[in-house]
Amino acid sequence: MRETLEFLLHDWLKAEALSARPRFAEHSRETFGAVLDLAEKLAREKFAPFNRLVDTEEPSFDGERVRLPAATEAALAAYAESGLLAAAQDYELGGMQLPCVIEMAAKSFISRASVAIGAYAMLTQGNANLLMAHGSERQREVFAQAQFAGRWFGTMCLSEPQAGSSLSDVATRAEPDGDGDGNSDPLGPRYRLRGHKMWISGGEHEMGENIVHLVLAKIPGPDGQLVPGTRGLSLFIVPKKMVDASGQLSGERNDVALAGLNHKLGYRGTSNCLLNFGEGRFLPGGRAGAVGYLVGRPGDGLKCMFHMMNEARIGVGLGAVMLGYAGYEASLEYARQRPQGRPIGVGGKDASQPQRPIIEHADVKRMLLAQKSYVEGGLALELYCARLVDELHTGTPQAAAEAQLLLEVLTPIAKSWPSEWGLEANSLAIQVLGGYGYTRDFPVEQHWRDNRLNMIHEGTHGIQALDLLGRKVVMDGGKALLALAARINATIEAALRRPPLAQQANGLAAALARLGRATKNAWAGGEPEEALANATPYLQAFGHVVLAWIWLELALTVADNDDGDFAQGKRAAARYFHAYELPKIEAWLAVVSSRESLCREMKDGWF
């Protein structure tokens, strides 16, 4: 994997060129490499050896505390001590001022080693990053910096038992505390929260000194009623343990209590919780109600939270890629060692001949090539998005504006495509191992279980599809889609000048044109329900066009005169994706273009 990572970072994305920018001036290819060495070593020594352990020894609740294996806390302590939690932050804050693309590359090792242990770090970092962007100066100093240092952990609390994807139905209430208007606390306008939050990863444990919950809740209007819809949502910092204005623990528990642990198919090493806020289990200040501090302005909760959600969506995509990658590597090693079957000659098989490794069978090669194209292409996609984040923050105004447009349209793909096709890679890995793949003697079944959650994490597949077709490709007259099409067309033009790639270039050009027609046809009737009924097939086709583009980019990056195994492998994966995967878009886009009404018109009773 490391060779592929270096190829993507330096040969393709030219990451070293970022050191010419003032923010990254202290860095070089050598410092970037040292960071990757550090992350790879941490993953190998502190995370990977315990991935099976945390799967089998799930978090448990003894009535007072949530218990985790000691290895989880040890791994996260080592991660925090390494400085990787604050890797992208300013030097003054103890950070490394790393580019996002290098930070993401470093995280890939952790996700491959143990996505369940790494989830605590991802959530904590995302929580702190949100506060750096939207919190007050004191909130940044008290809550964000403690998380970057690894002393406190963080969560995001959105869903409720009755409100999963439908955040407009959130019912948690936040009422002003203190002097009546909630404005007297140096940590921010203070409120008392009451409600329930479901599916909260990392919501309760004993690691670190505190847990910082970022909670979406609604402030009642003058009539005491909650404002309907998402415009009524506000964002609050709700610490597990109360702190004073300087960030010191006061010794008092906030009114946040664990109602129960959820036991999931995968990610079993990450505690997943139903939390009760304000039920009176604890009495901060002598009364019930979870104390929370407003972040930003009332009603801006979803806007603030999307900062963390978009970051988390790319993080989920990376995790899905790396679970697929781990399965690919395991099945590749197995296929090279497992003897089974013999060549078929004109007269059939010769049973007197020795069996050959299964990697010599064409169908096994097909399954391995599919995995390779999914996971290496998916990793390239995530790193490309991270490179766009660097353009957004440190590029010229024009480059930053274009990066923003591209991120708008690519973020749903960065989250959803690896979640579907990384999972398919895991399924193929199990198939390569045959009967052994279904046993716990090999890791591939755990990879599949862990990865199955990612199609739901941070917005379900269907939600991402509605966001893409319903908003991203049509906003501002389709500016984001046009920006992406311009990039793809530039790649096509470059590939047409390389005769070996002309067929792939022409195929991608036809696919892009087909996608454009389908987008127009979907909205031709002007009816959202009609246009969006087939949003998921549109998402699938869109993702495949993007990945075909990525693979053409990578094929262009490989030198024409390089006939080594690494280069040939990249060409083969690109060829596979264009020959076996890209043609699938026709079926997906057919129902989009015709605005097929079956799923929309299907009646309950017909099932």
Side-chain angles (χ1 to χ4, degrees), residues 388-588:
L388 289 175
V389 171
D390 289 321
E391 286 303 313
L392 184 65
H393 293 154
T394 65
T396 65
Q398 181 179 351
E402 184 179 9
Q404 180 63 57
L405 285 173
L406 291 168
L407 282 167
E408 290 283 2
V409 79
L410 286 176
T411 297
I413 304 303
K415 187 273 168 182
S416 65
W417 195 91
S419 298
E420 179 172 4
W421 298 98
L423 182 69
E424 176 63 14
N426 291 134
S427 181
L428 290 170
I430 292 172
Q431 192 71 15
V432 169
L433 268 70
Y436 292 105
Y438 299 93
T439 72
R440 304 198 77 174
D441 297 319
F442 291 85
V444 290
E445 61 84 27
Q446 183 184 346
H447 296 148
W448 187 94
R449 286 189 291 103
D450 284 343
N451 220 351
R452 186 59 187 83
L453 274 64
N454 285 321
M455 287 181 71
I456 294 175
H457 279 158
E458 306 311 325
T460 66
H461 224 51
I463 293 295
Q464 303 298 329
L466 292 173
D467 181 43
L468 180 66
L469 182 55
R471 284 199 323 118
K472 297 299 178 62
V473 300
V474 296
M475 67 182 190
D476 296 329
K479 285 179 67 175
L481 182 56
L482 289 172
L484 178 61
R487 292 268 177 125
I488 295 175
N489 280 321
T491 304
I492 291 169
E493 290 176 11
L496 286 172
R497 295 191 291 270
R498 296 263 291 270
L501 299 177
Q503 183 177 354
Q504 293 177 27
N506 286 323
L508 179 56
L512 180 61
R514 183 73 179 89
L515 181 66
R517 291 195 300 273
T519 306
K520 291 178 181 178
N521 290 341
W523 285 103
E527 293 291 334
E529 286 283 338
E530 183 182 58
L532 299 176
N534 296 296
T536 294
Y538 180 84
L539 176 80
Q540 291 170 308
F542 198 108
H544 261 48
V545 171
V546 169
L547 266 292
W549 165 56
I550 292 285
W551 270 115
L552 189 56
E553 277 273 309
L554 300 184
L556 276 167
T557 304
V558 174
D560 278 340
N561 60 355
D562 188 345
D563 292 325
D565 287 346
F566 181 85
Q568 294 283 35
K570 294 294 177 284
R571 293 191 191 99
R575 181 179 166 188
Y576 175 88
F577 198 88
H578 280 255
Y580 287 78
E581 297 292 332
L582 188 58
K584 294 177 180 177
I585 73 165
E586 188 57 41
W588 290 323

Side-chain angles (χ1 to χ4, degrees), residues 36-285:
L36 298 184
D37 289 343
L38 172 62
E40 190 171 17
K41 184 173 186 291
L42 274 173
R44 183 175 62 250
E45 296 179 356
K46 297 294 185 180
F47 286 77
F50 308 105
N51 192 43
R52 177 64 83 184
L53 172 71
V54 300
D55 182 64
T56 55
E57 294 185 17
E58 294 184 59
S60 61
F61 183 50
D62 63 9
E64 293 292 331
R65 293 177 174 83
V66 170
R67 303 290 186 183
L68 302 173
T72 299
E73 186 167 8
L76 293 165
Y79 189 80
E81 186 178 349
S82 74
L84 289 175
L85 272 174
Q89 299 303 309
D90 295 348
Y91 294 128
E92 293 75 13
L93 297 176
M96 304 180 192
Q97 290 188 196
L98 277 179
C100 182
V101 70
I102 301 300
E103 182 187 32
M104 192 69 69
K107 287 179 182 178
S108 70
F109 291 107
I110 304 300
S111 293
R112 183 181 61 160
S114 180
V115 72
I117 300 177
Y120 295 99
M122 185 190 84
L123 288 163
T124 298
Q125 190 175 51
N127 182 310
N129 285 342
L130 182 149
L131 292 175
M132 293 301 292
H134 298 286
S136 68
E137 182 177 358
R138 186 64 63 88
Q139 288 172 346
R140 294 194 296 268
E141 292 172 352
V142 170
F143 297 106
Q145 291 187 30
Q147 292 184 81
F148 284 134
R151 294 189 291 108
W152 299 356
F153 286 82
T155 74
M156 54 193 300
C157 301
L158 288 75
S159 298
E160 298 182 0
Q162 82 295 339
S165 298
S166 180
L167 294 178
S168 60
D169 295 310
V170 161
T172 298
R173 300 172 66 93
E175 299 179 331
D177 189 33
D179 60 6
D181 62 5
N183 289 318
S184 62
D185 200 296
L187 292 176
R190 193 169 72 246
Y191 289 75
R192 293 275 178 161
L193 277 68
R194 292 173 174 82
H196 313 282
K197 291 294 179 179
M198 186 62 157
W199 313 119
I200 309 307
S201 295
E204 180 58 37
H205 52 74
E206 296 300 312
M207 297 187 296
E209 302 168 8
N210 207 354
I211 301 175
V212 180
H213 303 292
L214 285 177
V215 184
L216 281 181
K218 292 185 175 181
I219 302 170
D223 60 356
Q225 300 299 308
L226 299 182
V227 178
T230 57
R231 63 188 178 90
L233 291 169
S234 299
L235 183 63
F236 300 89
I237 299 167
V238 183
K240 172 183 173 179
K241 299 176 182 179
M242 297 298 294
V243 300
D244 62 25
S246 66
Q248 299 300 309
L249 298 181
S250 69
E252 191 174 28
R253 270 291 299 264
N254 203 355
D255 195 5
V256 183
L258 178 72
L261 290 173
N262 300 306
H263 297 282
K264 290 189 171 185
L265 171 77
Y267 274 74
R268 291 178 175 176
T270 309
S271 64
N272 190 273
C273 311
L274 170 60
L275 297 178
N276 290 341
F277 291 80
E279 68 173 358
R281 172 79 179 275
F282 303 99
L283 303 173

